[in-house]
Short mmCIF file of all heavy atoms in Angstrom, two decimals:
data_model
loop_
_atom_site.label_atom_id
_atom_site.label_comp_id
_atom_site.label_asym_id
_atom_site.label_seq_id
_atom_site.Cartn_x
_atom_site.Cartn_y
_atom_site.Cartn_z
N PRO A 25 16.92 129.82 72.36
CA PRO A 25 16.42 130.30 71.07
C PRO A 25 14.93 130.65 71.12
O PRO A 25 14.17 130.07 71.91
CB PRO A 25 16.68 129.12 70.14
CG PRO A 25 17.81 128.38 70.78
CD PRO A 25 17.59 128.52 72.26
N LEU A 26 14.55 131.58 70.28
CA LEU A 26 13.14 131.98 70.20
C LEU A 26 12.29 130.84 69.67
O LEU A 26 12.74 130.06 68.82
CB LEU A 26 12.99 133.18 69.26
CG LEU A 26 13.58 134.49 69.73
CD1 LEU A 26 13.57 135.51 68.60
CD2 LEU A 26 12.82 135.03 70.93
N PRO A 27 11.04 130.74 70.12
CA PRO A 27 10.12 129.77 69.52
C PRO A 27 9.72 130.26 68.12
O PRO A 27 9.98 131.42 67.78
CB PRO A 27 8.93 129.78 70.48
CG PRO A 27 8.94 131.17 71.05
CD PRO A 27 10.40 131.55 71.16
N PRO A 28 9.07 129.43 67.33
CA PRO A 28 8.63 129.90 66.00
C PRO A 28 7.59 131.03 66.08
O PRO A 28 7.50 131.85 65.18
CB PRO A 28 8.01 128.65 65.35
CG PRO A 28 8.50 127.50 66.15
CD PRO A 28 8.82 128.01 67.52
N SER A 29 6.80 131.04 67.17
CA SER A 29 5.77 132.07 67.31
C SER A 29 5.45 132.28 68.78
O SER A 29 5.85 131.50 69.64
CB SER A 29 4.49 131.65 66.56
OG SER A 29 3.96 130.46 67.13
N ALA A 30 4.72 133.35 69.06
CA ALA A 30 4.27 133.66 70.42
C ALA A 30 2.99 134.49 70.31
O ALA A 30 2.74 135.11 69.27
CB ALA A 30 5.34 134.43 71.18
N ALA A 31 2.20 134.49 71.39
CA ALA A 31 0.95 135.25 71.38
C ALA A 31 0.67 135.78 72.78
O ALA A 31 1.06 135.18 73.78
CB ALA A 31 -0.20 134.36 70.91
N TRP A 32 0.00 136.93 72.82
CA TRP A 32 -0.35 137.59 74.07
C TRP A 32 -1.81 138.03 74.04
O TRP A 32 -2.31 138.51 73.02
CB TRP A 32 0.50 138.83 74.29
CG TRP A 32 1.93 138.55 74.54
CD1 TRP A 32 2.55 138.41 75.76
CD2 TRP A 32 2.95 138.37 73.56
NE1 TRP A 32 3.88 138.15 75.58
CE2 TRP A 32 4.16 138.12 74.24
CE3 TRP A 32 2.97 138.38 72.16
CZ2 TRP A 32 5.36 137.88 73.59
CZ3 TRP A 32 4.17 138.15 71.50
CH2 TRP A 32 5.34 137.91 72.21
N LEU A 33 -2.47 137.91 75.18
CA LEU A 33 -3.79 138.48 75.40
C LEU A 33 -3.58 139.84 76.02
O LEU A 33 -2.95 139.96 77.07
CB LEU A 33 -4.61 137.58 76.33
CG LEU A 33 -5.99 138.11 76.71
CD1 LEU A 33 -6.89 138.17 75.48
CD2 LEU A 33 -6.60 137.22 77.79
N HIS A 34 -4.07 140.88 75.37
CA HIS A 34 -3.97 142.24 75.91
C HIS A 34 -5.21 142.48 76.77
O HIS A 34 -6.33 142.17 76.36
CB HIS A 34 -3.89 143.26 74.77
CG HIS A 34 -2.56 143.22 74.07
ND1 HIS A 34 -1.78 144.33 73.90
CD2 HIS A 34 -1.87 142.20 73.51
CE1 HIS A 34 -0.67 144.01 73.26
NE2 HIS A 34 -0.71 142.71 73.01
N ARG A 35 -4.98 143.03 77.95
CA ARG A 35 -6.06 143.20 78.91
C ARG A 35 -5.86 144.46 79.74
O ARG A 35 -4.77 145.02 79.75
CB ARG A 35 -6.14 141.98 79.83
CG ARG A 35 -4.82 141.72 80.52
CD ARG A 35 -4.86 140.55 81.46
NE ARG A 35 -3.55 140.15 81.92
CZ ARG A 35 -2.72 140.88 82.64
NH1 ARG A 35 -3.05 142.10 82.99
NH2 ARG A 35 -1.55 140.43 83.02
N ASP A 36 -6.88 144.88 80.39
CA ASP A 36 -6.89 146.04 81.28
C ASP A 36 -6.77 147.35 80.50
O ASP A 36 -7.76 148.04 80.33
CB ASP A 36 -5.81 145.95 82.37
CG ASP A 36 -6.00 144.73 83.27
OD1 ASP A 36 -7.14 144.26 83.39
OD2 ASP A 36 -5.01 144.25 83.83
N ALA A 37 -5.59 147.72 80.02
CA ALA A 37 -5.43 148.99 79.29
C ALA A 37 -6.21 148.97 77.98
O ALA A 37 -6.66 150.01 77.51
CB ALA A 37 -3.95 149.26 79.00
N ARG A 38 -6.36 147.78 77.40
CA ARG A 38 -7.13 147.59 76.17
C ARG A 38 -7.53 146.12 76.11
O ARG A 38 -6.97 145.29 76.83
CB ARG A 38 -6.31 147.97 74.95
CG ARG A 38 -5.03 147.19 74.81
CD ARG A 38 -4.25 147.61 73.57
NE ARG A 38 -2.88 147.17 73.62
CZ ARG A 38 -1.84 147.97 73.84
NH1 ARG A 38 -2.02 149.25 74.02
NH2 ARG A 38 -0.62 147.49 73.87
N THR A 39 -8.45 145.80 75.23
CA THR A 39 -8.86 144.42 75.02
C THR A 39 -8.40 144.02 73.63
O THR A 39 -8.75 144.68 72.65
CB THR A 39 -10.39 144.29 75.11
OG1 THR A 39 -10.81 144.77 76.39
CG2 THR A 39 -10.82 142.85 74.93
N GLY A 40 -7.58 142.97 73.55
CA GLY A 40 -7.09 142.58 72.24
C GLY A 40 -6.17 141.38 72.29
O GLY A 40 -6.09 140.69 73.31
N PHE A 41 -5.49 141.17 71.18
CA PHE A 41 -4.64 140.00 71.03
C PHE A 41 -3.47 140.36 70.12
O PHE A 41 -3.59 141.21 69.24
CB PHE A 41 -5.45 138.85 70.41
CG PHE A 41 -4.91 137.50 70.74
CD1 PHE A 41 -5.07 136.95 72.00
CD2 PHE A 41 -4.24 136.76 69.78
CE1 PHE A 41 -4.58 135.70 72.31
CE2 PHE A 41 -3.74 135.50 70.08
CZ PHE A 41 -3.92 134.97 71.34
N GLU A 42 -2.33 139.70 70.35
CA GLU A 42 -1.14 139.92 69.53
C GLU A 42 -0.51 138.57 69.21
O GLU A 42 -0.43 137.69 70.07
CB GLU A 42 -0.14 140.78 70.30
CG GLU A 42 1.17 141.00 69.57
CD GLU A 42 2.15 141.85 70.37
OE1 GLU A 42 1.86 142.18 71.54
OE2 GLU A 42 3.21 142.18 69.82
N VAL A 43 -0.06 138.42 67.97
CA VAL A 43 0.63 137.21 67.53
C VAL A 43 1.90 137.64 66.81
O VAL A 43 1.89 138.59 66.03
CB VAL A 43 -0.25 136.39 66.55
CG1 VAL A 43 0.51 135.18 66.01
CG2 VAL A 43 -1.53 135.95 67.23
N THR A 44 3.01 136.94 67.11
CA THR A 44 4.27 137.22 66.42
C THR A 44 4.88 135.93 65.89
O THR A 44 4.66 134.85 66.43
CB THR A 44 5.31 137.87 67.38
OG1 THR A 44 5.51 137.00 68.49
CG2 THR A 44 4.88 139.22 67.85
N TYR A 45 5.66 136.09 64.80
CA TYR A 45 6.41 134.99 64.20
C TYR A 45 7.86 135.43 64.10
O TYR A 45 8.15 136.58 63.77
CB TYR A 45 5.86 134.66 62.81
CG TYR A 45 4.41 134.22 62.88
CD1 TYR A 45 3.39 135.15 62.70
CD2 TYR A 45 4.09 132.90 63.15
CE1 TYR A 45 2.06 134.76 62.78
CE2 TYR A 45 2.75 132.51 63.22
CZ TYR A 45 1.75 133.44 63.04
OH TYR A 45 0.44 133.06 63.13
N PHE A 46 8.78 134.50 64.37
CA PHE A 46 10.21 134.82 64.41
C PHE A 46 10.96 133.98 63.40
O PHE A 46 10.69 132.78 63.25
CB PHE A 46 10.78 134.54 65.81
CG PHE A 46 9.99 135.17 66.91
CD1 PHE A 46 9.13 134.42 67.69
CD2 PHE A 46 10.09 136.53 67.16
CE1 PHE A 46 8.38 134.99 68.71
CE2 PHE A 46 9.36 137.12 68.17
CZ PHE A 46 8.51 136.35 68.94
N ARG A 47 11.93 134.61 62.76
CA ARG A 47 12.79 133.90 61.83
C ARG A 47 14.21 134.43 61.96
O ARG A 47 14.45 135.62 61.76
CB ARG A 47 12.27 134.05 60.40
CG ARG A 47 12.96 133.13 59.44
CD ARG A 47 12.28 133.10 58.08
NE ARG A 47 12.22 134.42 57.48
CZ ARG A 47 11.12 134.95 56.95
NH1 ARG A 47 9.99 134.30 56.95
NH2 ARG A 47 11.14 136.15 56.43
N ASP A 48 15.14 133.55 62.32
CA ASP A 48 16.56 133.91 62.36
C ASP A 48 17.15 133.72 60.98
O ASP A 48 16.80 132.77 60.27
CB ASP A 48 17.33 132.99 63.33
CG ASP A 48 16.99 133.25 64.78
OD1 ASP A 48 16.83 134.42 65.14
OD2 ASP A 48 16.90 132.28 65.54
N ASP A 49 18.02 134.64 60.59
CA ASP A 49 18.75 134.48 59.33
C ASP A 49 20.13 135.11 59.48
O ASP A 49 20.50 135.55 60.57
CB ASP A 49 17.97 135.05 58.13
CG ASP A 49 17.68 136.53 58.23
OD1 ASP A 49 18.43 137.26 58.91
OD2 ASP A 49 16.71 136.99 57.59
N ALA A 50 20.88 135.17 58.41
CA ALA A 50 22.25 135.67 58.46
C ALA A 50 22.32 137.13 58.91
O ALA A 50 23.36 137.58 59.41
CB ALA A 50 22.92 135.51 57.10
N ARG A 51 21.24 137.90 58.74
CA ARG A 51 21.24 139.32 59.10
C ARG A 51 20.76 139.58 60.53
O ARG A 51 20.83 140.70 61.00
CB ARG A 51 20.37 140.08 58.11
CG ARG A 51 20.95 140.08 56.71
CD ARG A 51 20.06 140.71 55.67
NE ARG A 51 19.31 141.86 56.12
CZ ARG A 51 18.17 142.25 55.57
NH1 ARG A 51 17.67 141.60 54.54
NH2 ARG A 51 17.55 143.32 56.02
N GLY A 52 20.22 138.57 61.20
CA GLY A 52 19.71 138.75 62.54
C GLY A 52 18.37 138.07 62.72
O GLY A 52 18.22 136.90 62.39
N VAL A 53 17.39 138.82 63.22
CA VAL A 53 16.06 138.27 63.50
C VAL A 53 15.02 139.09 62.75
O VAL A 53 15.04 140.32 62.79
CB VAL A 53 15.75 138.30 65.02
CG1 VAL A 53 14.36 137.73 65.30
CG2 VAL A 53 16.81 137.56 65.81
N LEU A 54 14.12 138.39 62.07
CA LEU A 54 12.97 139.02 61.43
C LEU A 54 11.75 138.67 62.28
O LEU A 54 11.51 137.50 62.60
CB LEU A 54 12.79 138.50 60.01
CG LEU A 54 11.60 139.06 59.24
CD1 LEU A 54 11.76 140.55 59.00
CD2 LEU A 54 11.42 138.31 57.94
#
């Protein structure tokens, strides 16, 4: 199963950061 959240450091092609949150429900994944 997916964790509640995940994060990535963007590097080389660009400098930045990304954060995601996951929620399973009856329709799939949000």
